[in-house]
Amino acid sequence: MMRSHLAVVAAAAALAGAATGYLLSPSPSTAGTETVSFAPVRTRHVALNMPAGDRAKAAALGYDLFDVDPDADEIASLPKGAQALLWVGNTTCGGFGMTEEAFADAVRRLARNPRVYGWYLSDEPNPAECPDIVAQIRRRADVIHRYAPGQKAFASLTDWTMTPLKPSATHLDLIGLDPYPCRTEARGCDLRAIDRMVGQAVKAGFPKSMMVPVFQTFGQSCNKGDKNWRLPTASQLRAILGRWNELLPRPAFDISYSWGRQSEWACPTLADAPALQAIMKEHNNRRLGPAPSDPDQGTPPKDTPSQETPSKPAETPSPCTTIKG
């Protein structure tokens, strides 16, 4: 999942002068925030790559979690009742959007902001290529747990090796899983891709209660880059949602990738598809949240028949480049 937040660069520069590291007591600011009460057992829904001007429309479809920069004014501008998933991470083995010092300062500032759901720390980290990414994620997760207990440390994973990123190594609270079943060379969608990635995460030591589904709501027929993926039809999207519901019936939140277009990775997208928007509205408005009785551990799902024989995996596009509006 690839992200490029230009605003983070500016925010990091502004914060760097005030950053004081990890050893000081937290001094969060609640200026400009509202008192908001959130249901503790509600699955939240985020659609990535969303311009600010589309947030009201998305909220009417039941989206109530928005990925934004760690900016108090932007957080306060979100639709009523919505929360923020703050992008402060890296992509694969690239650099982080903020230095560790600036990140710690941002966490302290926003630790008591009730509209902050969590922090998006990394997008498809690849420990096979950059083993030090594990420690970098862990240090940031520890800052969140120290200064902002209750806010979530999140990273999105793909089908690279997951075991080095296990919870005891990274201290993450939640992980995204991004299998995309609908490929350009197949008329159907291989739902077994979902089963396989959930099974891979279970084998790596992640409890199902940590897993966040990433739904395919994009194709690659009009983007400039690879042409490996196809926008699902309405019936195929329903099948994708159904399979995820069987495997992870009550996640903490779920992700639709992608709302907006990405020139290299995603076109067309959910914003181009009213029929898919209607399906997501139905899904978002009926999805229950995580239950205390949900098992922490699950067994790897068995392969089930699919509409197509799976083909050789291609490079997975990243759901995470946000288009700032």
Side-chain angles (χ1 to χ4, degrees), residues 88-132:
V88 289
N90 81 307
T91 299
T92 311
C93 292
F96 282 79
M98 304 177 76
T99 66
E100 291 188 31
E101 293 78 11
F103 170 71
D105 185 72
V107 172
R108 286 192 293 267
R109 285 188 299 107
L110 297 170
R112 296 180 185 173
N113 189 321
R115 305 202 71 178
V116 174
Y117 178 87
W119 301 76
Y120 198 148
L121 298 182
S122 188
D123 179 20
E124 295 184 346
N126 188 351
E129 292 188 2
C130 46
D132 63 324

Side-chain angles (χ1 to χ4, degrees), residues 199-223:
Q200 180 184 357
V202 169
K203 290 178 181 178
F206 292 98
K208 285 190 173 182
S209 58
M210 284 185 65
M211 300 179 195
V212 170
V214 181
F215 306 137
Q216 182 180 354
T217 60
F218 78 102
Q220 292 185 326
S221 62
C222 56
N223 60 300

Side-chain angles (χ1 to χ4, degrees), residues 143-169:
V143 169
I144 296 166
H145 297 148
R146 178 178 182 183
Y147 293 123
Q151 295 179 6
K152 304 300 183 183
F154 171 79
S156 191
L157 310 185
T158 192
D159 56 358
W160 293 322
T161 180
M162 294 184 186
T163 301
L165 298 162
K166 61 189 177 182
S168 61

Side-chain angles (χ1 to χ4, degrees), residues 12-310:
L15 289 169
T20 54
Y22 300 162
L23 301 180
L24 300 181
S25 299
S27 55
S29 171
T30 57
T33 66
E34 61 183 88
T35 300
V36 184
S37 177
F38 300 106
V41 293
R42 179 180 178 182
T43 294
R44 288 196 171 269
H45 314 282
V46 58
L48 300 178
N49 302 326
M50 183 177 296
D54 286 356
R55 289 173 186 162
K57 178 179 181 179
L61 298 175
Y63 289 103
D64 54 7
L65 184 63
F66 296 88
D67 64 318
V68 300
D69 294 323
D71 178 84
D73 290 338
E74 186 171 13
I75 295 167
S77 72
L78 295 177
K80 184 177 181 180
Q83 286 185 288
L85 182 64
L86 303 177
W87 168 250
V88 289
N90 81 307
T91 299
T92 311
C93 292
F96 282 79
M98 304 177 76
T99 66
E100 291 188 31
E101 293 78 11
F103 170 71
D105 185 72
V107 172
R108 286 192 293 267
R109 285 188 299 107
L110 297 170
R112 296 180 185 173
N113 189 321
R115 305 202 71 178
V116 174
Y117 178 87
W119 301 76
Y120 198 148
L121 298 182
S122 188
D123 179 20
E124 295 184 346
N126 188 351
E129 292 188 2
C130 46
D132 63 324
I133 194 65
V134 176
Q136 293 185 67
I137 293 172
R138 181 176 63 248
R139 289 195 298 270
R140 287 166 170 81
D142 287 346
V143 169
I144 296 166
H145 297 148
R146 178 178 182 183
Y147 293 123
Q151 295 179 6
K152 304 300 183 183
F154 171 79
S156 191
L157 310 185
T158 192
D159 56 358
W160 293 322
T161 180
M162 294 184 186
T163 301
L165 298 162
K166 61 189 177 182
S168 61
T170 57
H171 299 176
L172 289 166
D173 299 307
L174 298 169
I175 59 162
L177 299 177
D178 64 1
Y180 300 127
C182 305
R183 299 175 58 88
T184 53
E185 71 270 17
R187 295 183 61 185
C189 299
D190 179 22
L191 299 182
R192 290 179 297 181
I194 300 172
D195 298 61
R196 288 191 293 270
M197 192 172 290
V198 171
Q200 180 184 357
V202 169
K203 290 178 181 178
F206 292 98
K208 285 190 173 182
S209 58
M210 284 185 65
M211 300 179 195
V212 170
V214 181
F215 306 137
Q216 182 180 354
T217 60
F218 78 102
Q220 292 185 326
S221 62
C222 56
N223 60 300
K224 296 178 181 178
D226 294 337
K227 308 291 185 181
N228 297 314
W229 314 99
R230 176 178 49 77
L231 185 71
T233 66
S235 62
Q236 289 167 348
L237 179 58
R238 288 189 185 278
I240 290 170
L241 297 177
R243 179 59 57 87
W244 274 115
N245 190 58
E246 292 174 8
L247 297 173
L248 303 178
R250 291 187 174 186
F253 68 97
D254 55 43
I255 297 172
S256 299
Y257 171 64
S258 171
W259 174 270
R261 295 183 175 189
Q262 294 171 285
S263 61
E264 292 295 324
W265 292 103
C267 180
T269 62
L270 188 56
D272 303 308
L276 301 190
Q277 292 176 30
I279 292 170
M280 292 311 304
K281 180 178 181 179
E282 178 183 337
H283 164 85
N284 293 345
N285 288 332
R286 74 183 180 195
R287 190 71 180 255
L288 298 175
S293 60
D294 280 354
D296 277 349
Q297 299 289 345
T299 56
K302 297 180 180 179
D303 277 356
T304 54
S306 69
Q307 300 174 43
E308 297 288 342
T309 301

